[in-house]
Amino acid sequence: WVGEAARDFLGKGASVTILTPNAGFNAKNAKEIEHPKFHLVTYDYEKDGEDPNQAIWTEALRPCDVAVATIVYPRIYDREKKKENSTGFHVIPFAAKCIGEAGLKTVLCPKTGTFVDWFNPAWYKPEGINSRCITITAFTKKSIVEEFKIPDEHVQVLYQGTDIKRFTSTPEKKAEGLKRYAAPPESWPVFVHIGTYDQRKNQDIILQAVDIVRKEYPKMFLHLVGKGETEEAMKKMAEDMDLQSHVC
């Protein structure tokens, strides 16, 4: 989505900088963007939070009116002791440090799609700089405001956009979809869940729902699309529940 957003803003006449690790997907994808107002700035992923990365980040942020950064898990943490280990490197406080220490006018916009109760509230509202939090659901905003005591006016809901031309069904697209994600003949209704395999995504609850729904709709089928650390566990759960003919 980073590359697509960059292309969209460039098409509207804005200047865009993508600041990303040098070996990541976004760096590779961004190299394909050719535009006089586009700038790709990369840094060493292994040296996050250290010099010379602070200098690189600061200079990349200097000309920016707005900087959007995703609220993700900290670089180093222990899932069994989440709160105690939520202090590993995180992009939001480091970006805030670069902006604050250099006296930049850049407005930092932490962006999130999911509420995680052990995350640091400072990731949503960094102190000492101008910032505004962006969420993609009203539920996430409500959780941030109520649980972290973040002012309501600080959090803005911006629902996910959809490229209508790209995602409007046609006979050709439908045939290609059925080829890629084959379901048993006469499957109905057919559901799709797209997302990272992670405990917070609740794929286990979805499988429990399938077990209930299939009793009334024996030809129902679910596609789980994604990858992540709980993928194998979800496959095993589906097998243990004998859902192989209803889930792929």
Side-chain angles (χ1 to χ4, degrees):
W1 68 266
V2 175
E4 290 187 5
R7 291 179 175 88
D8 187 64
F9 276 104
L10 289 168
K12 291 178 169 60
S15 295
V16 177
T17 296
I18 291 181
L19 174 62
T20 188
N22 51 23
F25 170 80
N26 284 323
K28 180 180 179 181
N29 183 51
K31 289 178 180 177
E32 301 174 0
I33 300 176
E34 295 183 2
H35 195 283
K37 290 188 175 183
F38 175 70
H39 307 280
L40 172 62
V41 180
T42 61
Y43 61 92
D44 188 343
Y45 177 91
E46 300 300 329
K47 294 181 179 179
D48 269 347
E50 303 175 9
D51 285 330
N53 280 350
Q54 183 168 348
I56 293 173
W57 282 49
T58 300
E59 292 311 307
L61 291 165
R62 190 178 299 280
C64 300
D65 296 310
V66 176
V68 179
T70 304
I71 300 173
V72 295
Y73 284 93
R75 179 66 55 80
I76 302 171
Y77 69 98
D78 183 336
R79 284 184 180 272
E80 299 305 316
K81 298 179 180 179
K82 296 176 180 177
K83 291 182 179 179
E84 293 85 345
N85 288 273
S86 63
T87 56
F89 173 84
H90 196 280
V91 60
I92 303 299
F94 187 62
K97 177 183 178 181
C98 294
I99 292 170
E101 292 186 359
L104 306 183
K105 296 181 179 180
T106 308
V107 177
L108 180 60
C109 293
K111 176 260 179 189
T112 184
T114 305
F115 175 74
V116 181
D117 62 4
W118 60 269
F119 274 11
N120 190 329
W123 299 345
Y124 300 84
K125 190 177 187 301
E127 298 296 328
I129 64 168
N130 292 325
S131 68
R132 188 77 176 271
C133 182
I134 298 171
T135 74
I136 61 172
T137 71
F139 175 80
T140 300
K141 173 178 178 174
K142 181 174 182 291
S143 299
I144 293 170
V145 170
E146 293 182 354
E147 298 298 324
F148 291 153
K149 311 304 179 187
I150 302 294
D152 182 271
E153 62 273 14
H154 179 76
V155 186
Q156 178 70 46
V157 178
L158 295 179
Y159 294 107
Q160 302 246 53
T162 301
D163 185 336
I164 301 299
K165 291 183 180 179
R166 183 177 179 184
F167 292 102
T168 297
S169 179
T170 65
E172 294 76 17
K173 289 180 180 179
K174 186 174 182 179
E176 178 62 23
L178 291 172
K179 183 188 299 184
R180 288 193 191 185
Y181 306 106
E186 301 182 2
S187 294
W188 188 89
V190 177
F191 302 92
V192 179
H193 176 276
I194 303 174
T196 303
Y197 278 96
D198 189 284
Q199 186 175 2
R200 64 193 171 90
K201 294 293 186 177
N202 297 318
Q203 281 98 344
D204 56 334
I205 296 177
I206 294 175
L207 292 179
Q208 293 172 34
V210 170
D211 193 34
I212 296 171
V213 172
R214 68 170 173 169
K215 294 178 173 63
E216 186 171 348
Y217 298 94
K219 292 186 179 181
M220 68 82 61
F221 194 81
L222 168 69
H223 291 289
L224 287 177
V225 182
K227 60 182 180 179
E229 62 181 41
T230 63
E231 182 175 357
E232 293 305 316
M234 292 302 99
K235 288 180 179 179
K236 186 177 187 306
M237 182 177 176
E239 292 176 2
D240 292 344
M241 298 175 69
D242 195 26
L243 298 177
Q244 295 95 317
S245 60
H246 297 280
V247 179
C248 177

